[in-house]
Amino acid sequence: MAKPAQKVTLSPSRDIPFDKLLLSQANVRRIKAGISVEELAEDIARRGLLQSLSVRPVLADDGSDTGKFEIPAGGRRFQALSLLVKQKRLAKTTPIPCIVRDANSAILAEDDSLAENMQRAALHPLDQFRAFVALREKGQGDEEIAAAFFVTPQVVKQRLKLAAVAPALLELYADDEMTLEQLMAFTVNPDHERQVQVWEAIKSSWNKEPYQIRRFLTETSVRASDRRAVFVGVKAYEAAGGAMLHDLFQGDDGGWLEDPALLDRLVSEKLQAEAEVIATEGWKWIEVSLDLPYGYTHGLRRLSGDPAPMTDDEGVAHAKLLAEYRALEEEYEGQDELPEEVDTRLGVLEVAMEKLEARPLIFDTEDVARAGAFVTLDRYGELAVHRGFVRPEDEPREEIDVHSGEPVADGQGGDVEASASNNAGGAMITFGGQALEETTADDEDEGALKPLPERLLMELTAHRTLALREAVGRSPDVALTLLLIKLVGDTFRTSNSAGSCLEASVRHVYMSAQASDLKDSVVAKLVDDRHAEWEADLPLGDDAALWDYLTALDQGSRLSLLAHCLSFGINALHEKVNPYGAGISASGLTKRMTQSDLVARAVELDMVEAGWEPTADTYLNRVPKARILEAVREAKGEGTAQLLDHLKKGEMATEAERLLKGSGWLPDVLRRHDLEALDGAEGQGASDDEIDPDPADSVDLPAFLTAELPGDEASKVAAE
């Protein structure tokens, strides 16, 4: 016979005056958590008590009723009510809804307190987001919602943004198939279709980090901190109809501009407008380019101008700034450390004075008529104008005729690389275009190693040429030896020199193919600084004065100047071989590269110290996967290379960049072959005991690469 189910009896509820209630010592909550009592009190004052208190009668020692009730469950609500009573916003005798448990119940008071706190389920964050949306749809504003739930309006905007993610992704988050951090990353781009595309692309990948999601969602956009955006201005971009993307959950440097084509058009229009204003100064030509390559002034003569004097207002402003600066210096003279606000003010004064002291140059009108200017952007997005450069064909006819003895036709400037237009001032404005990237062979070819792409070889050897130039420039003995090799060749071999009494000369070698980071490299800065120092000292305008200056130099200075000048003729560039005679032949290229190795050995060139390192942009993404694995294998060993073998090209390049950082690995074209031979000789003497049997053991690898590989014993056990 079935046992009848026991009927459940619930405790009765009743209203009890507040002054009859007291907090039970059986309440298990001891540690503060959640919203504060003050916020809970404000919430009760706004919407009333949403949940009754659980109480038990307090009995006297003899078991009689005292008329008081203790609260084992609901202590924080009682404390919030107490605060309202203390603030005289609630009367002491106000009836409080309570559930009254029998004083002699078999269930302990601690049991009630524990159950109330443990048997509740916290609201899922997605339900919070959707609840905020419901409140917004029913007419409540962000400020009103924020005040009701004691959060900031920014938090409200964030939760509303999370609720606006693609519904399919919200369902994944609800099923715990996506983390909150990943969901937050998807809010960067409001395009639901694109959000789903990105998730489909990465859901099976090892890398589903939020930063990767943000990168994919903004890969076709331009950061507001980009110099083009700084130059145009976000307001001007938005006024032209451009859309912005913003990240509400982390710093985004002002967001992303979603229409790069519109931005580029605005940059071009603004640069051209600036060029047209500069053209009214009377220049013969103006070249506009977003990026001027390293060595863009090669072959041009720079005009020397006089700094423009300050106006009366500028002079008064400068004197006032200088007086304040000196007064602060005198006031705090002798102190070991300046107060922070004083140090900041001195910095502001210095910048203001430097701005006034940086005077524009005034050029001779006749020189301006034959010279030109370059208009570009600096790295901070500011307009940069470099005035006063004369092309060889624009030099005065008389001067050229005397030196060359050849007739010169009138010219209007060099080749125009892009569209050009004459403005009202008559200047030819040209827009220099960037060289197109050559396409490489199939990056996914898993066959034998293919030769490096021509463009990449040219860029790599441009780095090496500039590093050699810097090294020879500080090595007078090597420069002198190099010059003697040239002179011996001219003296003892057939020479076709003409137009000069001495064939020895330096032709500034222009690197037509170069990576974007070359002009900002360490060696470029060293070369430019050394050149600027000599240029500041040399009296270049008068041959007689230059002769006197050079003859007065000490021998060490003369050799240093010789080395510097000779370094500009260094040409270690790999160039395309032309079998039909024009350009360089195969044998000529071999001879050039062999001699550059001799020079590199003489100056002890180290391309690692020169600042080159293999990154995804400079090398790894430019070569097939086999080349990437070869680099990792040479730097970290076969074991590490095998761990990367299964990755896709982009992931392999990224991980290889991390592994190769600081390793000193160089592609063959950048290596010193004499050092390779020396290392090989030393390696032959190593015993088997000295060789690490598994180089991967000592490499700091990410977790996904250190997991047991299929075939390992641990993997076999797991598979069973």
Side-chain angles (χ1 to χ4, degrees):
M1 182 175 178
K3 185 178 180 180
Q6 184 178 3
K7 293 186 177 180
V8 176
T9 303
L10 299 178
S11 299
S13 61
R14 56 180 284 196
D15 291 342
I16 300 174
F18 174 80
D19 57 2
K20 300 296 183 182
L21 301 174
L22 54 90
L23 189 61
S24 172
Q25 295 302 310
N27 193 300
V28 299
R29 185 186 289 273
R30 297 285 187 268
I31 300 172
K32 294 181 179 180
I35 64 173
S36 67
V37 171
E38 291 78 10
E39 291 177 349
L40 181 56
E42 292 299 325
D43 191 73
I44 293 174
R46 176 176 178 269
R47 57 171 59 90
L49 194 64
L50 298 179
Q51 185 178 353
S52 301
L53 305 181
S54 178
V55 303
R56 292 178 179 232
V58 177
L59 303 179
D61 294 338
D62 58 0
S64 60
D65 191 354
T66 63
K68 298 284 189 179
F69 296 84
E70 64 175 352
I71 308 170
R76 294 183 72 250
R77 278 163 279 154
F78 175 73
Q79 290 176 333
L81 292 168
S82 299
L83 182 59
L84 293 174
V85 171
K86 183 178 180 181
Q87 295 172 347
K88 301 189 182 302
R89 300 166 67 185
L90 188 70
K92 291 182 179 181
T93 57
T94 300
I96 306 299
C98 299
I99 302 296
V100 183
R101 171 79 78 175
D102 187 351
N104 298 316
S105 172
I107 304 297
L108 298 176
E110 288 84 356
D111 194 342
D112 284 348
S113 178
L114 184 61
E116 186 201 42
N117 288 285
M118 291 189 63
Q119 296 299 331
R120 72 172 102 187
L123 190 65
H124 193 282
L126 182 56
D127 291 328
Q128 296 182 31
F129 310 154
R130 288 169 170 166
F132 275 38
V133 172
L135 293 174
R136 165 76 77 80
E137 291 174 347
K138 292 183 178 180
Q140 291 193 15
D142 293 353
E143 298 284 346
E144 189 176 359
I145 297 173
F149 292 93
F150 307 102
V151 295
T152 65
Q154 176 70 2
V155 170
V156 175
K157 289 183 174 66
Q158 289 175 336
R159 294 181 180 178
L160 292 172
K161 192 82 169 178
L162 286 165
V165 173
L169 301 185
L170 291 179
E171 292 305 319
L172 291 173
Y173 172 59
D175 295 337
D176 294 329
E177 295 181 32
M178 180 186 297
T179 67
L180 178 59
E181 289 73 19
Q182 289 171 327
L183 187 68
M184 290 160 58
F186 277 107
T187 64
V188 169
N189 191 326
D191 186 342
H192 285 184
E193 183 178 354
R194 180 59 181 154
Q195 291 173 357
V196 174
Q197 286 176 349
V198 169
W199 178 253
E200 290 296 324
I202 70 170
K203 67 179 182 180
S204 300
S205 170
W206 60 269
N207 188 357
K208 295 190 285 290
E209 294 297 322
Y211 76 85
Q212 183 80 338
I213 296 171
R214 289 185 176 91
R215 186 174 71 82
F216 280 135
L217 290 171
T218 59
E219 62 184 352
T220 59
S221 305
V222 178
R223 276 195 175 275
S225 56
D226 185 276
R227 61 195 180 112
R228 293 171 294 168
V230 172
F231 177 63
V232 170
V234 172
K235 290 184 178 179
Y237 165 80
E238 290 182 313
M244 294 289 298
L245 300 178
H246 290 285
D247 192 340
L248 293 180
F249 296 94
Q250 65 177 25
D252 59 8
D253 292 331
W256 292 267
L257 285 70
E258 202 173 5
D259 192 342
L262 172 61
L263 176 62
D264 288 338
R265 178 173 66 81
L266 295 175
V267 170
S268 297
E269 291 174 354
K270 188 171 181 180
L271 277 175
Q272 181 166 358
E274 296 286 356
E276 290 173 352
V277 173
I278 295 166
T280 61
E281 299 173 9
W283 302 104
K284 181 175 182 180
W285 54 266
I286 294 176
E287 183 172 334
V288 182
S289 177
L290 185 62
D291 287 295
L292 293 173
Y294 178 80
Y296 66 94
T297 61
H298 79 285
L300 306 182
R301 176 172 64 89
R302 187 166 191 171
L303 300 177
S304 58
D306 299 319
M310 291 187 185
T311 64
D312 293 341
D313 291 341
E314 288 173 335
V316 171
H318 186 274
K320 185 177 179 180
L321 293 170
L322 182 60
E324 183 182 353
Y325 188 90
R326 289 177 175 172
L328 288 173
E329 279 189 325
E330 292 176 2
E331 182 179 352
Y332 293 95
E333 185 178 4
Q335 293 192 13
D336 294 336
E337 188 173 351
L338 294 174
E340 184 177 352
E341 63 277 6
V342 174
D343 188 51
T344 301
R345 180 57 183 168
L346 288 174
V348 171
L349 294 173
E350 286 177 355
V351 171
M353 287 190 291
E354 288 174 359
K355 188 174 181 180
L356 289 172
E357 292 165 359
R359 310 304 302 158
L361 296 178
I362 299 177
F363 302 97
D364 183 84
T365 305
E366 185 177 346
D367 288 336
V368 170
R370 67 167 62 94
F374 295 94
V375 178
T376 186
L377 295 183
D378 64 18
R379 67 179 64 185
Y380 306 108
E382 298 291 335
L383 182 70
V385 182
H386 308 291
R387 296 175 171 86
F389 292 91
V390 182
R391 293 168 173 167
E393 61 267 30
D394 294 328
E395 293 287 4
R397 179 188 299 272
E398 295 76 15
E399 180 179 343
I400 295 178
D401 288 346
V402 168
H403 287 78
S404 68
E406 299 177 357
V408 178
D410 293 336
Q412 295 298 324
D415 294 337
V416 178
E417 297 179 354
S419 61
S421 61
N422 289 322
N423 64 5
M428 179 71 74
I429 301 177
T430 62
F431 292 85
Q434 296 181 354
L436 296 176
E437 292 288 341
E438 295 183 8
T439 58
T440 62
D442 183 11
D443 285 342
E444 300 306 319
D445 187 358
E446 300 294 342
L449 291 179
K450 296 183 178 180
L452 295 179
E454 290 283 345
R455 169 87 187 185
L456 179 58
L457 273 174
M458 295 171 73
E459 290 182 6
L460 293 174
T461 52
H463 269 288
R464 189 170 189 257
T465 296
L466 188 59
L468 276 174
R469 186 174 295 176
E470 195 282 322
V472 170
R474 55 178 162 78
S475 306
D477 291 340
V478 175
L480 188 57
T481 302
L482 191 60
L483 178 59
L484 285 172
I485 291 175
K486 179 68 168 60
L487 295 179
V488 168
D490 289 342
T491 303
F492 294 94
R493 300 191 185 104
T494 302
S495 174
N496 60 351
S497 60
S500 173
C501 63
L502 180 65
E503 172 63 15
S505 63
V506 173
R507 181 177 63 86
H508 190 138
V509 179
Y510 177 66
M511 288 164 266
S512 58
Q514 55 181 263
S516 59
D517 62 340
L518 183 63
K519 62 179 179 297
D520 297 322
S521 63
V522 174
V523 290
K525 181 72 164 56
L526 293 171
V527 172
D528 292 344
D529 289 349
R530 186 171 60 225
H531 191 77
E533 290 174 3
W534 277 114
E535 191 174 33
D537 291 342
L538 292 171
L540 299 174
D542 186 345
D543 284 348
L546 179 60
W547 183 275
D548 293 340
Y549 174 85
L550 293 175
T551 55
L553 284 178
D554 61 83
Q555 189 68 3
S557 298
R558 287 163 60 86
L559 288 174
S560 295
L561 179 57
L562 169 66
H564 176 71
C565 294
L566 195 67
S567 71
F568 280 84
I570 294 293
N571 186 353
L573 293 171
H574 172 90
E575 296 183 47
K576 291 183 178 179
V577 172
N578 190 329
Y580 303 107
I584 192 168
S585 64
S587 61
L589 181 61
T590 300
K591 183 177 179 181
R592 174 191 293 179
M593 305 313 288
T594 301
Q595 192 179 79
S596 70
D597 284 341
L598 294 175
V599 178
R601 184 186 308 178
V603 297
E604 298 181 352
L605 178 68
D606 186 338
M607 288 303 298
V608 176
E609 292 183 358
W612 192 91
E613 61 180 355
T615 66
D617 292 334
T618 61
Y619 184 80
L620 299 169
N621 261 334
R622 312 278 296 282
V623 298
K625 291 172 64 174
R627 285 280 183 185
I628 301 176
L629 293 174
E630 177 193 41
V632 175
R633 185 179 300 111
E634 291 180 354
K636 298 295 183 181
E638 179 63 34
T640 305
Q642 289 179 1
L643 293 176
L644 300 183
D645 188 64
H646 67 287
L647 298 180
K648 293 183 179 179
K649 171 67 178 297
E651 297 169 350
M652 182 184 290
T654 300
E655 190 56 34
E657 176 179 340
R658 188 186 73 82
L659 291 171
L660 293 175
K661 187 172 183 62
S663 68
W665 181 88
L666 295 170
D668 184 70
V669 71
L670 298 184
R671 296 176 186 175
R672 289 252 313 274
H673 298 297
D674 59 312
L675 294 182
E676 282 188 312
L678 181 62
D679 291 342
E682 292 176 351
Q684 290 176 1
S687 66
D688 292 340
D689 293 338
E690 294 173 338
I691 300 175
D692 187 355
D694 188 0
D697 291 345
S698 60
V699 179
D700 180 18
L701 295 172
F704 78 93
L705 289 180
T706 56
E708 296 290 349
L709 295 174
D712 291 345
E713 291 302 322
S715 298
K716 294 177 181 177
V717 173
E720 294 174 358

